[in-house]
Amino acid sequence: MGYLQGDQPINISKLLSMHAEREKIAMLTAYDSTMSALLNRCGVESILIGDSLGNVIQGQSSTTPVTVEQMVYHTQCVVRANTHAFLIADLPFASYGDPIQALDSAAQLMRAGADMVKLEGGGDWQLEIIQYLVERSVPVCAHLGLLPQSIHLLGSFKVQGKTKTAAQVMHEQALACEQVGAQMVVLEAIPSSLGRQITDSVSIPTIGIGAGPDCSGQVLVLQDMLGISTGHQPKFVKNFVEGHPSIEAAIKTYVREVKSGKFPGPEHGYSG
């Protein structure tokens, strides 16, 4: 199971190889040292230090209040206990409005120990940011579909890419993100068929969260898969603690189900 077969940490070359060989990638979020250590023991191959910490750690109604300084702090916490997993840190809201600001924000996260940074959106200006960062040796993960940082524009959390036009635009954005240098892309809350189409079209890993079973890998917010988040749970969430004696057993089950393709099931996906 991934790096558990050896002592070498996961790097981007390994993840690209896994995508090419159709070996599923198991990713979860973490925001502190204790959970970082646990996820490493359980075989999680990539950890996302997500700005979702605004919701699940800070109790905010959205991710927009999260700052670069807070992301740096939580990245440092995760890094201290990380032994093998590939670490991706979110660039938070309004921290990459222009190339210079984006590089400064990304540099802070990379110096804190992140292996890659993630930013939301695939429009022209985001593509410019991705290319600018990659040309300056900053690995980038793109994020398409439902964009939590844009919730005040969207008005609510809803499935994206459902119309033929919207799906085509997102497909083209994914290809453009790869072309300008993104080495991974998160696909959130889109029809399963679109998740499959994008995954089949790009040579970089796609990480799904509500994007169907055909993505290169899957990610969930840790608190969601442990059944301890408050409020409405999205359709794509599964409580892995149910039927298991411990958090560790639940996380190991999540990894097994992602690797085997059992999770996500049809009940966790969206139609076009």
Side-chain angles (χ1 to χ4, degrees), residues 51-52 54-55 60-65 120 143 145-160 162 188-190 209 221 224 230-236 270:
D51 58 2
S52 50
N55 304 110
Q60 307 280 4
S61 61
S62 74
T63 63
T64 55
E120 294 184 5
H143 184 151
L146 176 61
L147 308 177
Q149 291 176 13
S150 299
I151 186 59
H152 296 297
L153 282 176
L154 296 173
S156 64
F157 294 102
K158 53 189 176 183
V159 180
Q160 303 294 301
K162 295 196 72 172
E188 181 169 359
I190 65 173
I209 176 167
V221 171
D224 287 349
T230 59
H232 172 73
Q233 292 300 300
K235 182 181 181 181
F236 55 74
Y270 301 102

Side-chain angles (χ1 to χ4, degrees), residues 18-269:
M18 290 172 70
H19 167 72
E21 296 170 6
R22 298 187 178 275
E23 178 184 354
K24 298 292 187 179
I25 299 165
M27 182 187 296
L28 283 170
T29 65
Y31 318 99
D32 62 66
S33 181
T34 300
M35 285 302 179
S36 175
L38 180 58
L39 266 55
N40 273 270
R41 291 200 305 272
C42 292
V44 172
E45 289 144 333
S46 182
I47 294 174
L48 172 63
I49 305 103
D51 58 2
S52 50
L53 67 90
N55 304 110
V56 299
I57 301 298
Q58 298 175 345
Q60 307 280 4
S61 61
S62 74
T63 63
T64 55
V66 178
T67 66
V68 173
E69 291 75 21
Q70 291 166 347
M71 289 302 305
V72 166
Y73 169 79
H74 286 278
T75 299
Q76 291 170 333
C77 292
V78 170
V79 166
R80 292 189 187 105
N82 187 59
T83 56
H84 292 88
F86 186 80
L87 301 183
I88 304 171
D90 271 338
L91 286 168
F93 175 74
S95 70
Y96 51 98
D98 61 69
I100 301 300
Q101 183 194 29
L103 182 59
D104 178 69
S105 300
Q108 293 185 59
L109 294 175
M110 298 291 287
R111 291 187 183 114
D115 297 309
M116 175 178 276
V117 300
K118 179 169 75 65
L119 61 84
E120 294 184 5
D124 290 342
W125 73 268
Q126 288 106 332
L127 294 172
E128 178 187 359
I129 298 294
I130 293 171
Q131 183 170 6
Y132 187 88
L133 292 177
V134 171
E135 288 175 347
R136 285 152 184 82
S137 302
V138 178
V140 176
C141 174
H143 184 151
L144 301 175
L146 176 61
L147 308 177
Q149 291 176 13
S150 299
I151 186 59
H152 296 297
L153 282 176
L154 296 173
S156 64
F157 294 102
K158 53 189 176 183
V159 180
Q160 303 294 301
K162 295 196 72 172
T163 68
K164 182 177 180 180
T165 299
Q168 182 177 349
V169 168
M170 197 179 305
H171 196 165
E172 292 172 352
Q173 287 179 339
L175 292 169
C177 286
E178 178 183 13
Q179 186 174 8
V180 297
Q183 293 178 291
M184 188 181 297
V185 57
V186 168
L187 302 173
E188 181 169 359
I190 65 173
S192 298
S193 58
L194 180 57
R196 180 178 65 252
Q197 291 168 11
I198 292 174
T199 301
D200 289 344
S201 298
V202 298
S203 61
I204 59 176
T206 60
I207 305 298
I209 176 167
D214 298 301
C215 295
S216 312
Q218 300 292 329
V219 64
L220 285 177
V221 171
L222 182 64
Q223 283 79 354
D224 287 349
M225 63 83 62
L226 295 178
I228 57 175
S229 292
T230 59
H232 172 73
Q233 292 300 300
K235 182 181 181 181
F236 55 74
V237 170
K238 176 179 177 179
N239 183 348
F240 281 86
V241 170
E242 292 181 350
H244 292 91
S246 67
I247 290 175
E248 182 167 347
I251 295 171
K252 287 180 177 178
T253 299
Y254 168 80
V255 172
R256 286 196 302 270
E257 291 197 6
V258 169
K259 301 293 286 183
S260 69
K262 182 177 180 181
F263 177 80
E267 69 274 21
H268 303 115

